[in-house]
Amino acid sequence: MASSNDDWCTIESDPGVFTSLIESFGTQNVEFAELWSLDDDSLLQLIRPMEGVENAAVHGLIFLFKWQSSSSSDPEDVNK
């Protein structure tokens, strides 16, 4: 856990890294994929059958972003 508000623990935002991680926990037949947008067309792609994959299903989404606790509306404050 981070020791102060300025610390940020990074994790590689790479589907292969997440897939390897869950395989090390013993999970089988699960794979991660990147989603580049949250627009309607991109989200619809999640529920369409995957070509060549039987019984494919989306089990969840992982969002990686740095939490900004600042309540300021000034964009310059967000980067501090």
Side-chain angles (χ1 to χ4, degrees):
M1 178 159 271
S3 60
S4 74
N5 290 338
D6 294 333
D7 291 340
W8 172 242
C9 182
T10 59
I11 185 168
E12 181 67 34
S13 180
D14 180 304
V17 170
F18 280 99
T19 300
S20 295
L21 178 65
I22 62 169
E23 286 175 349
S24 73
F25 298 151
T27 304
Q28 298 177 355
N29 302 318
V30 176
E31 183 177 301
F32 284 82
E34 285 186 292
L35 179 65
W36 289 92
S37 175
L38 295 177
D39 62 30
D40 290 341
D41 290 335
S42 297
L43 293 173
L44 285 172
Q45 291 293 327
L46 294 175
I47 60 173
R48 291 189 182 128
M50 297 171 66
E51 186 176 325
V53 179
E54 291 184 38
N55 300 318
V58 174
H59 296 285
L61 298 174
I62 296 174
F63 294 93
L64 296 178
F65 59 92
K66 185 174 181 178
W67 171 256
Q68 300 293 334
S69 62
S70 174
S71 61
S72 173
S73 60
D74 183 359
E76 291 299 317
D77 288 344
V78 174
N79 294 322
K80 291 181 182 177

